[in-house]
């Protein structure tokens, strides 16, 4: 489908690729949350910025998986017409989108707090 597909979504089968994209999105979202927890826990601004950058990267990768999943599901038809076990995916996809949005807000909040703190002493 896409030439910009995340590297671990292989074209072994269409269904395998759909579930790999779903799994990849969840894993990358978990990674982003882990980095955000690290960013919140550290008092060193340099470490906070590195953790924040890693969180942004993981969140971007999760969004790429979501985009891939959306495209593949759209090719199969409207969500209401999807056969089992695919019929639950639109609901799962919406939950992942909400998690991505919440993670993005958390990233922005941490970045904003980091921007108001001094980087060090002269």
């Amino acid at each position: 489908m896409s030439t910009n597909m995340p590297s671990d979504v292989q074209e072994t089968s269409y269904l395998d690729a759909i579930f790999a994209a779903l799994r990849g999105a969840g894993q990358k979202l978990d990674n982003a949350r882990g980095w955000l927890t690290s960013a919140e826990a550290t008092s060193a601004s340099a470490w906070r910025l590195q953790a924040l950058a890693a969180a942004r990267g993981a969140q971007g990768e999760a969004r790429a998986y979501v985009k891939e999943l959306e495209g593949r599901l759209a090719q199969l038809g409207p969500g209401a017409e999807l056969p089992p076990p695919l019929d639950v995916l639109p609901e799962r996809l919406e939950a992942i989108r909400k998690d991505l949005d919440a993670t993005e807000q958390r990233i922005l909040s941490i970045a904003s707090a980091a921007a108001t703190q001094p980087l060090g002493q002269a």
Side-chain angles (χ1 to χ4, degrees):
M1 173 178 161
S2 168
T3 57
N4 295 330
M5 183 176 7
S7 62
D8 58 339
V9 177
Q10 300 297 316
E11 290 294 332
T12 55
S13 83
Y14 202 79
L15 290 178
D16 287 341
I18 286 173
F19 288 111
L22 181 62
R23 193 170 41 253
Q27 289 170 345
K28 294 300 180 177
L29 190 53
D30 285 344
N31 290 347
R33 286 187 200 121
W35 283 113
L36 288 173
T37 298
S38 294
E40 290 169 331
T42 187
S43 60
S45 60
W47 289 110
R48 179 176 293 135
L49 293 176
Q50 287 181 349
L52 192 56
R56 283 185 178 138
Q59 193 218 26
E61 291 173 1
R63 285 204 185 272
Y65 281 110
V66 166
K67 184 176 179 180
E68 179 65 26
L69 183 56
E70 288 171 336
R72 288 182 179 274
L73 289 177
Q75 287 183 337
L76 295 176
E81 296 177 13
L82 293 175
L86 301 177
D87 59 341
V88 299
L89 291 182
E91 185 177 311
R92 294 279 314 260
L93 191 55
E94 184 59 31
I96 290 172
R97 278 191 209 105
K98 287 180 183 177
D99 284 347
L100 280 169
D101 291 344
T103 301
E104 186 170 335
Q105 289 303 313
R106 195 170 161 201
I107 288 171
L108 292 173
S109 175
I110 294 169
S112 177
T116 61
Q117 296 177 345
L119 291 176
Q121 296 182 353

